[in-house]
Amino acid sequence: GVNPEKIVYIPTGCPPVSNIKANAGRGNKSLIFLFAGMLALRKGLPYLVKAWSMLNAEKTAELWLVGRQLLPDIAFKEKGKGIKYFGAVSQSELAKIYERADVLVMPTLLEGCAHVVLEALSHSLPVITTEESGCGGFVQNGKNGFIIKAADADAICGAMNRCLEHRDKLEGMGRASAELARSWTVGDSNRAHLDIIQEFLKKGLQKNQ
């Protein structure tokens, strides 16, 4: 019932692009898939753990889980080899983890805007996520990551497998993430908000004159 002309949408901006880039496929160590966020159903964690089990890649990859645990242990612990659980960490600790990671996986089922995706882009990480992340415009299939169907372990497994099979492409995808992050920053978002407020106030003053 709201007039569409009264609605303004301003996307959240990405944090400043880090000078220290993520690993993003470089070297020949195990590929690190990173999940950062609440260990909860809403974040799609059970589907990720199932996908990891299906991937059967513990010899060539690791799955790192970072965040406060809201699910019982049985939901993810001992569900597959190669899973490393960090628990809740500080922002500075998370930044160091981003730098060591190769791909962010955020298979969320529902978000306003998954800020962790924006942070990952600013650290030059390829991203696997869903449209429900609210960050679909920042992740372009095959360019800097993959948009997958929510609540679909097969889709998560398939995207992770593509990363393993095309490891040599990940560094370039990470660079593309940083470019997209630079294209719409927190500063851009703040300026857009300010412009809208100033325009609103200007119209109000003109109306009252």
Side-chain angles (χ1 to χ4, degrees):
V2 178
N3 184 346
E5 294 181 0
K6 293 185 177 182
I7 299 173
V8 178
Y9 168 66
I10 301 174
T12 303
C14 295
V17 174
S18 174
N19 291 325
I20 303 175
K21 297 177 175 60
N23 193 65
R26 293 193 294 272
N28 55 9
K29 65 175 183 59
S30 291
L31 202 71
I32 295 172
F33 292 100
L34 170 65
F35 170 95
M38 292 184 295
L39 304 187
L41 175 60
R42 183 172 66 83
K43 299 289 186 179
L45 185 65
Y47 301 98
L48 174 57
V49 172
K50 182 178 179 181
W52 174 255
S53 179
M54 294 163 57
L55 192 63
N56 193 27
E58 63 270 11
K59 292 183 179 179
T60 56
E62 296 179 15
L63 175 61
W64 289 7
L65 305 179
V66 179
R68 185 161 59 96
Q69 181 180 334
L70 298 183
L71 287 172
D73 289 354
I74 194 172
F76 64 94
K77 289 186 177 179
E78 298 182 4
K79 289 288 185 177
K81 296 179 180 178
I83 297 179
K84 186 174 181 180
Y85 173 56
F86 288 79
V89 301
S90 67
Q91 198 63 32
S92 61
E93 289 174 314
L94 179 58
K96 293 177 182 178
I97 292 172
Y98 280 134
E99 292 162 14
R100 297 170 62 191
D102 295 291
V103 181
L104 178 81
V105 188
M106 175 49 63
T108 182
L109 309 183
L110 179 66
E111 299 282 343
C113 177
H115 195 71
V116 66
V117 172
L118 306 183
E119 290 178 343
L121 298 175
S122 295
H123 280 85
S124 303
L125 266 175
V127 174
I128 299 171
T129 192
T130 63
E131 286 286 358
E132 286 75 8
S133 68
C135 303
F138 286 106
V139 180
Q140 300 173 3
N141 268 315
K143 180 178 180 181
N144 71 318
F146 303 99
I147 296 290
I148 58 171
K149 183 179 177 182
D152 190 332
D154 288 326
I156 302 169
C157 181
M160 294 170 76
N161 191 51
R162 288 181 69 179
C163 293
L164 286 167
E165 290 180 344
H166 302 284
R167 180 174 182 148
D168 59 320
K169 306 290 186 184
L170 296 179
E171 186 175 359
M173 294 173 79
R175 287 195 297 269
S177 285
E179 290 172 8
L180 284 163
R182 287 190 186 96
S183 72
W184 186 255
T185 65
V186 171
D188 294 323
S189 178
N190 290 345
R191 280 189 291 273
H193 277 89
L194 183 59
D195 288 345
I196 291 297
I197 293 169
Q198 289 177 331
E199 183 64 22
F200 175 78
L201 293 174
K202 181 180 177 181
K203 288 181 179 178
L205 288 171
Q206 290 173 344
K207 188 179 294 185
N208 293 329
Q209 286 176 351

